[in-house]
Amino acid sequence: MRIAAKVGVLVTGIIVYSLMHMSLIRSEDPEVLWRLKRIEDQVYKMAIEIKQKVREAVVEQKMTKKTKVKKLYPKSYLFKSWGAELTEEEQMEAERQYQEFGYNVFLSNRLPLNRTIPDTRDIRCAAKIYPKDLPTISVVLIYLNEALSVIKRAICSIINKTPAHLLKEIILVDDLSSNEDLQSPLDEYIDLISKDKPGLIKKVRHKRQMGLAKARVSGWEAATGQVVAILDAHIEVHKQWAEPLLARIKADRTVVLSPVFDKVLFDTLEATEYIPAAHAFDWNLWCMYESFSPEWHQMNDPSEPGKSPSVMGIFVADRQFLGEIGVLDEGMTVYGGENVELGIRVWLCGGSIEVVPCSKIAHIERAHKPYSPDLSKPMIRNALRVAEIWMDEYKSNVNIAWNLPLKDHGIDIGDVTERKQLREKLKCKPFKWYLENVYPLLDSWGGIVGYGALRNDLKDKFCIDQGPVPGSVPILYTCHYYKPQHCYYNRNGEIYIGGIKSHTYNSNRCLMDPGSGNTPVLHDCKNAKEKGLSIYWDFSQGNAIRNRKTNRCLEISQGGDSDYHLILQTCTGQNWTIQHVIKSL
Ligand SMILES: *[C@@H]1O[C@H](CO)[C@@H](O)[C@H](O)[C@H]1NC(C)=O
Ligand SMILES: *[C@@H]1O[C@H](CO)[C@@H](O)[C@H](O)[C@H]1NC(C)=O
Ligand SMILES: [Mn+2]
């Protein structure tokens, strides 16, 4: 699971998420139960805040009594709101473990394995009655360099919170971790459990690193239950997490499910509530939260499952059905994209995806991820692979999103013949159907004809850049080819500067001639269109950028400071080149 796949995405996600949250609160006729639930949440939050204040006061008292301990890592996020009472040695140990794992192992090692986490489900969930004869479940935990106490807590919660007659086994898949304590110390814990429950825990350890997708497939292969849950190992399941999932799969074996994740903060390990939402992605295939459909909101029952375009990574499915549709793409490497591939494939090849609000899992939000410090390389490779296999005429959108050329990008995506054959064999629907019926919020980017950095032929070391943020004045800046310099030219004549949005509910920033002065500006495209502002330009590769309404050109000129500036003026014949062209401009 990778909620915080990228900071930018996270921010977008939070915004989408908060918008959704607000619309829930503002819903026109909120049910009494739902209101009570909100009040309960607020009381719960206040209680946490009060606890925190008391704790701080106690710590402060201790601190003033003792000689004041020096803060060794004032810049470390680990100590932002935690650890004030630690000795210097303890701080060193905690920081070292945090750097290694990306979460607070020091604290995890000191919390009970069976700690209680708040029940954050909608109150309707506890009242639901599930059939007795549900299918059995195999729980697969995948990990790479996970802290021992975190894995133990995951196992402990699964055993305590899953009805024993339904829990077929727990399969631990170690994708070649390097930390020693995942060898014999973990085996000792497994042996301890095996005394009571022989064979319940199985361990698969890879001899070479497989990457996330293959590791997950190997867990599925080892599973024997009717249903398989593929989870991360840095989780704790909530009370009654399994029953709603198993009941839903019993009713329809073709539905692939995701529980709702509460966020366990990486520093304090406190579990905080997340409101159920659909799991979606942008054209980079980074994942994000998205509002459930209007139909779901109309039901006015937040305990009901909602349709979702994809999964974040963790998922639960009928074991055999998952096999029939090809489990996961084993041609994926390292990390990323396999969750989106699953989402698209399930929808196109005869199944569907739902998020189940009554099934909750607390998931530690890592401050940094294993496998590799920079995951964008494998992300790009896997995204191009998804595009090639599934996205038909929309596949260039992935290239556009990553600012790669359409052809000869030099990235090896591996052999896709087998997966393409699978698509044929299963008679899967075209990607267009997915866009129209499952994920209409994803903008199909139909009109883009050129993208990437935009340079003036007179000075090609400089690129158009969105300029200071906040702010709406584009500038000329040394080319670095990152997002602030990503430009897009649309068939209808719009020029977006500083990135492009993947979703139809967002708006891009359009280059505009304000009509007076000689400074070009950026303006919200939707708003500009409504107001009839001058955002349409004539441009073709190697030619002038000329405003259709004012007839002025976007050009550069040397100022008194001898620097070059971006200006609007009567055309003098300056020409521009955009990095990538889709159709001949
Ligand atoms: C956790 O385990 C301990 C020791 O077995 C037990 O005394 C305690 O009641 C348990 N706590 C919970 C919340 O189950
Ligand atoms: C711009 O391109 C046109 C032909 O497309 C050419 O005639 C003109 O000389 C170019 N301008 C400059 C400044 O190079
Ligand atoms: Mn995770």
Side-chain angles (χ1 to χ4, degrees):
M1 234 260 300
R2 57 191 72 91
I3 295 176
K6 206 182 178 191
V7 177
V9 171
L10 182 64
V11 172
T12 328
I14 288 169
I15 293 167
V16 172
Y17 175 79
S18 339
L19 285 176
M20 181 205 68
H21 198 145
M22 273 163 16
S23 73
L24 284 181
I25 294 167
R26 286 198 200 129
S27 89
E28 282 174 356
D29 181 24
E31 276 195 46
V32 178
L33 282 177
W34 179 238
R35 256 189 224 160
L36 283 174
K37 171 80 176 112
R38 305 289 349 149
I39 293 167
E40 191 184 73
D41 290 347
Q42 278 161 8
V43 170
Y44 169 67
K45 270 181 206 134
M46 277 161 58
I48 287 188
E49 274 166 27
I50 291 167
K51 254 202 262 169
Q52 178 71 21
K53 291 252 158 63
V54 170
R55 209 180 300 149
E56 280 166 12
V58 171
V59 168
E60 217 164 279
Q61 259 183 2
K62 273 191 198 160
M63 295 282 290
T64 44
K65 271 181 203 160
K66 280 198 229 162
T67 49
K68 201 162 192 284
V69 181
K70 197 174 139 202
K71 268 201 156 191
L72 293 182
Y73 309 99
K75 285 197 189 122
S76 170
Y77 284 106
L78 180 63
F79 295 101
K80 253 191 146 170
S81 59
W82 174 84
E85 73 276 31
L86 263 54
T87 66
E88 289 194 12
E89 289 82 65
E90 287 170 334
Q91 287 180 56
M92 280 157 73
E93 186 188 347
E95 176 67 13
R96 184 182 54 72
Q97 289 172 324
Y98 165 67
Q99 286 303 334
E100 186 177 346
F101 294 98
Y103 48 68
N104 194 342
V105 178
F106 184 92
L107 177 59
S108 170
N109 293 347
R110 284 156 182 79
L111 291 173
L113 293 183
N114 63 351
R115 71 165 178 161
T116 323
I117 49 175
D119 184 357
T120 56
R121 296 172 304 166
D122 183 90
I123 46 172
R124 273 163 277 214
C125 294
K128 285 191 200 264
I129 295 166
Y130 300 103
K132 269 255 142 44
D133 58 333
L134 290 169
T136 59
I137 187 165
S138 300
V139 181
V140 178
L141 301 178
I142 314 283
Y143 52 91
L144 171 63
N145 299 342
E146 205 83 76
L148 176 62
S149 61
V150 165
I151 298 185
K152 281 183 174 177
R153 190 170 294 107
I155 295 172
C156 181
S157 78
I158 293 163
I159 293 175
N160 287 348
K161 292 173 182 164
T162 316
H165 71 285
L166 298 178
L167 183 59
K168 187 72 196 284
E169 66 218 339
I170 299 173
I171 298 164
L172 304 178
V173 181
D174 184 343
D175 199 11
L176 197 63
S177 298
S178 49
N179 44 332
E180 293 279 302
D181 58 3
L182 295 187
Q183 312 270 355
S184 48
L186 178 57
D187 291 339
E188 280 162 31
Y189 183 66
I190 295 172
D191 291 343
L192 190 73
I193 292 168
S194 298
K195 277 191 198 136
D196 253 10
K197 307 171 194 302
L200 183 70
I201 302 186
K202 295 171 182 156
K203 200 171 160 189
V204 178
R205 185 176 156 86
H206 293 147
K207 294 202 173 56
R208 66 186 178 82
Q209 206 156 82
M210 303 252 167
L212 204 55
K214 275 193 152 183
R216 285 184 163 146
V217 174
S218 74
W220 171 83
E221 279 166 349
T224 60
Q226 288 158 279
V227 167
V228 60
I230 312 261
L231 310 181
D232 290 354
H234 40 265
I235 53 106
E236 289 154 79
V237 296
H238 273 272
K239 188 170 158 184
Q240 267 197 331
W241 75 287
E243 291 90 328
L245 302 170
L246 296 173
R248 189 71 194 95
I249 291 171
K250 184 182 159 80
D252 180 355
R253 71 186 286 271
T254 69
V255 61
V256 172
L257 303 173
S258 174
V260 173
F261 317 116
D262 279 342
K263 175 171 157 181
V264 176
L265 305 176
F266 69 85
D267 53 350
T268 62
L269 300 184
E270 251 168 308
T272 58
E273 178 179 0
Y274 261 39
I275 300 286
H279 300 175
F281 54 90
D282 60 15
W283 285 111
N284 295 88
L285 307 199
W286 291 116
C287 56
M288 58 187 49
Y289 284 115
E290 197 74 76
S291 179
F292 282 134
S293 67
E295 292 77 22
W296 183 86
H297 287 283
Q298 271 156 25
M299 280 194 300
N300 224 344
D301 181 353
S303 72
E304 281 298 302
K307 300 281 180 214
S308 179
S310 182
V311 294
M312 292 259 175
I314 285 175
F315 65 95
V316 182
D318 181 278
R319 182 171 58 83
Q320 280 177 354
F321 175 71
L322 189 60
E324 285 160 26
I325 62 159
V327 198
L328 288 173
D329 178 3
E330 293 189 73
M332 299 255 178
T333 53
V334 192
Y335 180 98
E338 86 294 333
N339 56 324
V340 174
E341 193 271 345
L342 175 73
I344 297 169
R345 175 160 43 85
V346 166
W347 277 107
L348 292 184
C349 311
S352 63
I353 300 205
E354 290 175 8
V355 171
V356 180
C358 288
S359 174
K360 282 215 152 186
I361 287 186
H363 169 264
I364 301 179
E365 201 81 49
R366 281 179 192 255
H368 48 261
K369 288 178 188 296
Y371 282 111
S372 158
D374 178 14
L375 290 168
S376 60
K377 276 224 173 77
M379 217 23 238
I380 291 174
R381 179 203 178 274
N382 290 344
L384 288 170
R385 202 176 151 85
V386 176
E388 183 58 37
I389 298 167
W390 294 102
M391 291 184 175
D392 308 327
E393 69 269 34
Y394 301 92
K395 69 181 178 186
S396 56
N397 287 353
V398 171
N399 302 59
I400 296 172
W402 285 102
N403 196 30
L404 299 167
L406 297 188
K407 287 200 190 99
D408 306 323
H409 47 60
I411 296 161
D412 178 13
I413 63 166
D415 188 355
V416 293
T417 31
E418 234 178 85
R419 295 308 278 187
K420 281 190 165 174
Q421 276 164 7
L422 175 77
R423 185 178 171 178
E424 296 244 312
K425 193 187 94 189
L426 297 172
K427 299 191 169 57
C428 307
K429 294 189 180 82
F431 191 68
K432 191 176 194 323
W433 182 89
Y434 179 83
L435 280 183
E436 284 170 357
N437 296 281
V438 180
Y439 195 11
L441 293 177
L442 190 64
D443 195 328
S444 60
W445 284 357
I448 298 168
V449 285
Y451 60 99
L454 199 47
R455 287 174 304 191
N456 189 296
D457 291 355
L458 291 180
K459 289 276 156 203
D460 65 2
K461 275 196 205 65
F462 295 111
C463 286
I464 297 186
D465 188 293
Q466 68 177 3
V469 175
S472 56
V473 178
I475 58 170
L476 207 59
Y477 198 85
T478 311
C479 294
H480 55 59
Y481 305 102
Y482 290 115
K483 199 173 155 198
Q485 297 183 349
H486 290 177
C487 303
Y488 305 83
Y489 184 60
N490 226 329
R491 195 180 296 134
N492 65 10
E494 290 166 337
I495 295 175
Y496 312 149
I497 292 172
I500 182 172
K501 303 295 196 319
S502 285
H503 297 100
T504 51
Y505 51 77
N506 275 320
S507 181
N508 295 299
R509 292 210 297 170
C510 273
L511 178 69
M512 178 177 104
D513 182 345
S516 58
N518 61 3
T519 311
V521 297
L522 298 176
H523 197 97
D524 179 287
C525 302
K526 277 181 192 161
N527 180 274
K529 200 173 170 183
E530 278 166 23
K531 292 191 175 152
L533 302 174
S534 311
I535 54 165
Y536 300 106
W537 306 81
D538 281 325
F539 169 60
S540 59
Q541 189 72 313
N543 284 295
I545 297 180
R546 179 198 296 261
N547 193 282
R548 287 181 190 168
K549 205 155 151 195
T550 67
N551 251 324
R552 299 202 292 178
C553 279
L554 184 72
E555 300 200 335
I556 62 173
S557 86
Q558 207 167 10
D561 53 3
S562 83
D563 285 346
Y564 280 88
H565 298 275
L566 207 53
I567 59 158
L568 291 165
Q569 62 182 9
T570 309
C571 305
T572 69
Q574 288 182 17
N575 298 323
W576 296 85
T577 300
I578 197 160
Q579 212 178 344
H580 308 291
V581 169
I582 296 182
K583 299 210 176 71
S584 62
L585 282 172

